[in-house]
Amino acid sequence: MIKIAPSILSADFAALGDAIARVEAAGADLLHVDVMDGHFVPNLTIGPPVIESLRKRARLPLDVHLMIEEPERWVETYVRAGADLLTVHAEACPHLQRCLSQIREAGARAGVALSPGTPPGILDYVLDDLDLVLVMSVNPGFGGQAFIPSSYAKIRQVRTLTGRRAVELSVDGGVKPEHAARLAGAGASVLVAGSAIFGAADPGQAVRELRSAAEVVKLA
Ligand code: DX5
Ligand code: ZN
């Protein structure tokens, strides 16, 4: 069963509680939270205090996507703030294996995100240290960008690498219902969507549409 992870980046930041309630009622599986530092990516979003508030409000696990430099300095802070899954960018981590161990030791599940230009081979020697791979299907930094089609092939490659391990394979960026079946067919297990959900008139309905579109598995 595919998991749906609404990204609150496209929600109204003054009404995050309402946004969460709507997608939870519609059966979303995770809440995707984008943290940007204005350095690793050219945009700035939220930090630990907002995550703490989200944690109090949300019933769903928090899937925190760190788009920040030197994420190893912040791991314990984000886990303490309430991240259930904490994902760091491979491009931001010179000592990736150490950073992943640090996340697990802090008590969260560990994820690695790959920007579109980063080859999957970077995961070869950390496959037993991670719980999730996040394949970015846009360049990180902004919601509402167009899905990059080479992501399908990359997802298949990552799925081959993870083999029989219980690793979630998440895809993030420009995901719309029209991509969902092919993404699921390629091996994705989590679909992250921001504008497709919070840009819709009825975000709850958008969650259900994305899920039913993913359930029609097509060959990638
Ligand atoms: C982009 C973020 C995404 C973004 C997705 O850097 O990581 O999670 O919110 O938004 P859409 O679905 O609009 O591309
Ligand atoms: Zn994200």
Side-chain angles (χ1 to χ4, degrees):
M1 256 283 264
I2 202 101
K3 296 188 171 81
I4 306 295
S7 160
I8 58 164
L9 183 61
S10 299
D12 175 357
F13 272 25
L16 284 178
D18 293 349
I20 293 169
R22 279 166 176 253
V23 296
E24 285 190 339
D29 301 282
L30 299 165
L31 209 57
H32 185 85
V33 183
D34 291 300
V35 175
M36 306 185 188
D37 67 353
H39 292 274
F40 178 68
V41 289
N43 194 7
L44 200 56
T45 56
I46 58 164
V50 177
I51 296 198
E52 256 181 72
S53 302
L54 293 171
R55 179 65 288 157
K56 286 181 201 142
R57 181 65 75 98
R59 279 181 284 118
L60 292 178
L62 298 184
D63 169 29
V64 177
H65 177 190
L66 295 183
M67 284 160 275
I68 64 175
E69 283 176 4
E70 301 186 279
E72 62 281 354
R73 293 176 54 196
W74 292 95
V75 164
E76 288 75 16
T77 306
Y78 279 98
V79 174
R80 221 179 302 122
D84 297 284
L85 265 156
L86 192 61
T87 296
V88 296
H89 265 265
E91 307 83 10
C93 276
H95 309 294
L96 184 57
Q97 198 281 338
R98 182 159 68 200
C99 194
L100 294 172
S101 305
Q102 200 186 338
I103 296 171
R104 283 181 166 177
E105 275 163 29
R109 287 189 288 153
V112 177
L114 304 178
S115 291
T118 304
I122 201 163
L123 301 172
D124 280 352
Y125 298 98
V126 291
L127 289 166
D128 293 318
D129 301 300
L130 52 79
D131 303 291
L132 175 142
V133 178
L134 187 153
V135 171
M136 292 270 347
S137 41
V138 298
N139 287 288
F142 301 94
Q145 304 180 79
F147 180 87
I148 299 174
S150 63
S151 312
Y152 293 120
K154 191 161 174 185
I155 289 159
R156 275 201 308 274
Q157 285 175 25
V158 172
R159 199 33 109 193
T160 304
L161 282 181
T162 60
R164 301 169 82 81
R165 296 173 182 84
V167 170
E168 296 280 12
L169 208 174
S170 181
V171 51
D172 182 10
V175 174
K176 307 269 179 284
E178 71 211 63
H179 309 117
R182 203 169 157 197
L183 290 171
S189 62
V190 180
L191 301 183
V192 176
S195 49
I197 292 176
F198 291 111
D202 180 347
Q205 179 61 19
V207 169
R208 290 187 286 269
E209 274 172 25
L210 198 54
R211 189 188 300 288
S212 40
E215 280 166 2
V216 187
V217 177
K218 282 187 195 148
L219 290 180

